[in-house]
Amino acid sequence: MGEMRVDALVGYSQAPKLRPLPGKAERYQLMEPYWVQRANTPRFEIPAGYCFDGASIPSVIGLTWAVTYSKFHPKVMRAALVHDWLCDERPAWSTSRVAADIFQQMLYEDGASHRKAALMVRAVRWFGPQWDKPDAQ
């Protein structure tokens, strides 16, 4: 997965311990609980065993990764883990906007360029789950 900057881990239990799922090249599994604390949100735990598929940014004519990062790039892995869990679990204190904001903050903390992060966040806000919208499913 690569290394993350230690100073980016303030407010987190540590770098998440992940492993690729055998036979599932597009999925990773969290090996130990991962704690996250953000300003204005309660501290929350992503449980060991949680599986996710990386940064699932929709492809536009197959060029998405040419202008952003690959699904499992070290600069997006932690943000994708937390965002996917928030979208899957939809805790009562969160909204799709809060999840996208946390995704953005974590991309910046892990060294993503502002241009690439902005493109990824825009895609998440436009095409990602919108569970708090009136017409959401």
Side-chain angles (χ1 to χ4, degrees):
M1 184 180 103
E3 293 190 300
M4 292 178 225
R5 296 186 343 251
V6 173
D7 61 330
L9 300 177
V10 174
Y12 306 97
S13 59
Q14 62 213 16
K17 295 201 178 2
L18 302 166
R19 73 175 180 110
L21 284 176
K24 307 247 184 196
E26 295 294 313
R27 297 194 53 87
Y28 272 71
Q29 182 178 41
L30 185 63
M31 300 305 295
E32 296 177 358
Y34 187 64
W35 290 93
V36 180
Q37 175 65 61
R38 305 299 306 182
N40 304 315
T41 68
R43 183 176 190 243
F44 60 96
E45 174 190 349
I46 302 173
Y50 177 73
C51 298
F52 72 111
D53 63 354
S56 309
I57 306 300
S59 177
V60 179
I61 316 171
L63 298 176
T64 300
W65 306 126
V67 295
T68 63
Y69 294 99
S70 63
K71 294 177 65 124
F72 298 113
H73 190 284
K75 292 180 180 181
V76 304
M77 194 77 147
R78 191 171 62 106
L81 165 68
V82 173
H83 185 263
D84 282 6
W85 184 85
L86 289 170
C87 290
D88 288 345
E89 296 301 317
R90 301 176 181 183
W93 54 264
S94 186
T95 64
S96 56
R97 178 65 186 217
V98 168
D101 289 348
I102 291 172
F103 179 70
Q104 181 176 29
Q105 292 166 359
M106 294 177 92
L107 287 172
Y108 291 153
E109 290 168 0
D110 289 343
S113 77
H114 282 265
R115 182 184 61 77
K116 288 183 178 186
L119 289 170
M120 295 176 78
V121 171
R122 191 170 300 127
V124 161
R125 288 189 175 138
W126 287 348
F127 304 110
Q130 302 291 315
W131 68 88
D132 52 327
K133 305 287 186 201
D135 59 345
Q137 297 175 359

